[in-house]
Amino acid sequence: MYVPQEQLNGRVTFYWRISRLFRTAIVFLPFSVGVFFGVLAISNFWVALTASLLFVAHRFFYTLIWPAFEHIHYRFEIREHDILVQHGVLFRKWSSIPLHRIQHVDTHQGPLQRIVGLVTLQIYTAAGSTFDGAIPGLRPQRAQELQQQIIQNRGDDGV
Amino acid sequence: MSDSTIEWKKVHPASVFINLVPQLIRILRGLWIIILVLFFSEENQNLFDASFFFILLILGIYRTVVHFLTLRYRLVDNFLEIKVGLFYRQQRRLDVARIQNIELRQNPLHKLFHLSELHIETAGSSEEGLLSALRIEEAQQLRVQIIEQKEVPEHPAQQEPSITLGTVDLLLYGVTSNQVGTVVVLSAIGSEVLSLINPRTAQEIASNISLQNAIGIILISFGLSWLWSCLRALLQHHRFTLSMSDHSLQTVDGLITKRKVEIPREKVQLAMLIEPWLRRLVGYGTLRIETAAFGIEDGHIRKTEAVIPMVERENFSSLLKKATPQLDADPWNETLHPAHPKALYRGIARGFLQSIIPIAVLMFIFRDQPYAPALISLSVLSVPLSILDWKGQGWLITPNSIVSRRGYVNRKTWVIDRNKIQSIHVYQSPFMRIHNLAHIVVYVAGTEIVLPDISLEQAHENYENLNHQWIIEEPKEVLEEPKEAPTHEVSLGGDHTIPFDESTIDTDIAE
């Protein structure tokens, strides 16, 4: 099956790691303490400790190691008639969005992304209130280029 | 090419006040779960009230101030560009031709400051409060500039009714609806409410219910729910009529609120035929037609669906063809591709899991009964149902349409026109990966069609085939390039030659 050519900017793994680290610190570490006490209520100390350590380990794996895999599997390409986006390691998704159906293309940049210098491109068709395709990890200039390139194409809405 | 010397315009400062209330409402809507939880927790009621609303107000003001300070818009070269956001920055370039509806909206606060909101809707989405407070003249000017590109929608011609449903038909419709879920939920809620109100009575009742009484109660609940759905059917679809013309479909029904739904044929996105097993037994089905936001009609965008409650089986194909004329497949007389054999494992597993919840509820209700644990064996019933579900599954892709069918107890057949496709996705979860299966999801405006449980190779083959369609289907502005330059010139009697005419190629479409 055809693999789209372009990959995301390498910085995106850094961004993913940092943003997940934040969420781990704020949400998941307290949560793991909760898991510890929760399991402790049903079972003994060592089981509870193992459970919460496993939980933390899994979370760190997801934060530090997983982004590398996700980066490998995130690919996109703007072809002559459509945009292909493919992503996902466990939950894989291949998307094709015809250029002439695109309603608008948004660039989205959270504060952390701004620090790292990346931008997410969100592609909307008439299909719904959420985007049909998203390309994170783009340099702002590249995102602008892509945005211009995509939106030039016109066609009927198919509505 | 965008002219970057056109300057960005801003929203009026009064927007901070004008937007405050709508913004607060939006925040509240997002926080409804937290509000519910806080509402039900007993301690510190007064404290929570004051500080909670204070925080809410601060949040609201922050958002409206950020909105005012950061929103920039401009109209450049037939594109509307809008930028907004401080921490979460968003930038949109909207092709003016995509805008389906644009209107000026004023609330009393707007009028006070001589402002107006410019409300823009594209097919499939409507942005709330983006250009929320512009000076009236600016808003009007912008609207005029944008609207110069609009096409006026055609007005449908008159038509005569082709299907009418009487009371008997509607009663049959009500009786054949599936009501199992409602019964279980209602019983569960009922029993819990009872035990909350008067625990001792509840205990007595529960311990005194013998098996026969339990069955009796369940049957009565079913009876009541059927009665209820009959009443609803009569109310909603009283005096149903369907009329069809060359351009559109029209349905009229309703007792207390009379509803008139008019759908231009070319706006139909998806047609769905629903056959609950009882209704199938008596030879009927329900046709549902979905569209997305379409056009300007009395200044409103409308997302509409039309429901034809009772269609006879012989008429399925012909009615479907009339509703979606491009249809080139007959889901009832053609064989659909069946679901992949390996999908059966997932189907059975899923059936088991789905049966656990109603069984758990039943076991909870009858927890004091000696036969309660045995209720688990009811989950075995899910297996034949899952097998029937799997057998009934099917899909079909033809040059003009895509068909998908699922379900046994509630059989549904979806049909879309390939010209309406917005985007195509192939999706594979790790559980599907085990069996090398995937789902295909095709989006149309406002809804989607799913082709589940296909082998990965087949899914990708279909994906490529559907993609190929974009290449064949050129947008209207691009003229066909001559396939081959005539290398010889034909002379017909006189001196006519057919030269290669370069002026027919339009070269400035792609920039």
Side-chain angles (χ1 to χ4, degrees), chain A residues 33-151:
Chain A
V33 173
V35 167
F36 176 75
F37 283 111
V39 179
L40 194 62
I42 327 174
S43 178
N44 64 19
F45 173 79
W46 293 109
V47 174
L49 189 66
T50 323
S52 57
L53 280 180
L54 271 176
F55 184 74
V56 173
H58 143 263
R59 182 67 196 175
F60 270 104
F61 176 76
Y62 180 65
T63 303
L64 297 173
I65 306 182
W66 201 242
F69 292 120
E70 288 183 30
H71 176 69
I72 295 175
H73 286 272
Y74 219 120
R75 286 178 180 269
F76 71 96
E77 187 177 329
I78 302 189
R79 304 199 294 189
E80 196 187 330
H81 297 273
D82 59 5
I83 301 181
L84 295 180
V85 184
Q86 161 188 335
H87 69 274
V89 184
L90 282 183
F91 291 84
R92 315 204 58 191
K93 188 167 180 188
W94 295 261
S95 306
S96 158
I97 304 160
L99 287 176
H100 63 277
R101 293 283 194 237
I102 294 176
Q103 294 284 322
H104 55 84
V105 179
D106 274 9
T107 60
H108 182 96
Q109 188 183 43
L112 202 54
Q113 280 177 304
R114 191 129 38 84
I115 295 175
V116 179
L118 292 176
V119 133
T120 299
L121 210 64
Q122 294 169 337
I123 302 162
Y124 289 79
T125 65
S129 49
T130 177
F131 47 80
D132 293 58
I135 307 173
L138 292 171
R139 301 284 290 139
Q141 200 184 12
R142 181 89 185 103
Q144 287 273 34
E145 277 172 40
L146 292 174
Q147 200 179 20
Q148 305 267 23
Q149 191 184 344
I150 295 171
I151 207 71

Side-chain angles (χ1 to χ4, degrees), chain B residues 242-255:
Chain B
L242 167 74
S243 328
M244 288 195 282
S245 75
D246 286 335
H247 306 291
S248 66
L249 271 136
Q250 189 183 20
T251 64
V252 183
D253 61 3
L255 182 60

Side-chain angles (χ1 to χ4, degrees), chain B residues 200-425:
Chain B
R200 212 178 309 149
T201 330
Q203 277 274 17
E204 286 172 13
I205 296 180
S207 53
N208 283 337
I209 299 182
S210 66
L211 188 59
Q212 293 137 315
N213 288 357
I215 293 180
I217 291 180
I218 292 179
L219 285 177
I220 292 181
S221 325
F222 266 111
L224 282 173
S225 68
W226 262 318
L227 199 65
W228 171 243
S229 64
C230 284
L231 275 170
R232 277 183 65 211
L234 281 175
L235 278 176
Q236 274 180 343
H237 300 291
H238 181 73
R239 294 236 188 131
F240 175 88
T241 49
L242 167 74
S243 328
M244 288 195 282
S245 75
D246 286 335
H247 306 291
S248 66
L249 271 136
Q250 189 183 20
T251 64
V252 183
D253 61 3
L255 182 60
I256 299 180
T257 358
K258 190 163 178 191
R259 266 179 335 167
K260 185 167 135 170
V261 171
E262 182 138 30
I263 296 180
R265 292 261 189 109
E266 74 261 10
K267 298 297 184 186
V268 173
Q269 297 296 316
L270 180 93
M272 187 160 103
L273 228 135
I274 309 168
E275 304 169 79
W277 68 278
L278 270 180
R279 209 169 292 162
R280 207 155 68 230
L281 217 63
V282 297
Y284 281 87
T286 302
L287 181 62
R288 194 159 108 184
I289 294 170
E290 291 183 20
T291 69
F294 61 87
I296 310 167
E297 212 38 42
D298 302 328
H300 289 296
I301 281 279
R302 279 187 303 141
K303 179 182 166 100
T304 322
E305 59 179 34
V307 175
I308 303 159
M310 295 293 263
V311 183
E312 286 163 39
R313 177 158 321 124
E314 312 94 61
N315 295 337
F316 283 173
S317 309
S318 62
L319 192 58
L320 197 60
K321 184 95 170 97
K322 283 197 205 142
T324 54
Q326 316 84 352
L327 181 64
D328 60 353
D330 189 347
W332 286 274
N333 291 326
E334 281 177 43
T335 349
L336 309 180
H337 296 282
H340 196 274
K342 298 242 178 95
L344 187 54
Y345 301 124
R346 289 188 63 233
I348 293 183
R350 197 171 40 227
F352 258 125
L353 284 173
Q354 281 175 341
S355 68
I356 286 185
I357 298 182
I359 289 178
V361 170
L362 275 176
M363 287 181 66
F364 184 69
I365 297 176
F366 297 110
R367 57 187 177 279
D368 297 321
Q369 297 303 311
Y371 53 79
L375 287 174
I376 287 207
S377 56
L378 285 176
S379 65
V380 176
L381 285 177
S382 73
V383 176
L385 282 178
S386 303
I387 298 181
L388 285 169
D389 261 351
W390 172 82
K391 274 180 102 175
Q393 237 174 274
W395 60 271
L396 191 63
I397 298 181
T398 68
N400 284 338
S401 325
I402 301 183
V403 179
S404 174
R405 170 175 295 156
R406 296 182 85 167
Y408 182 77
V409 172
N410 204 9
R411 184 158 82 182
K412 296 188 186 172
T413 311
W414 293 268
V415 173
I416 63 162
D417 172 8
R418 278 175 64 171
N419 287 327
K420 301 294 186 190
I421 293 179
Q422 296 290 330
S423 57
I424 307 173
H425 311 262

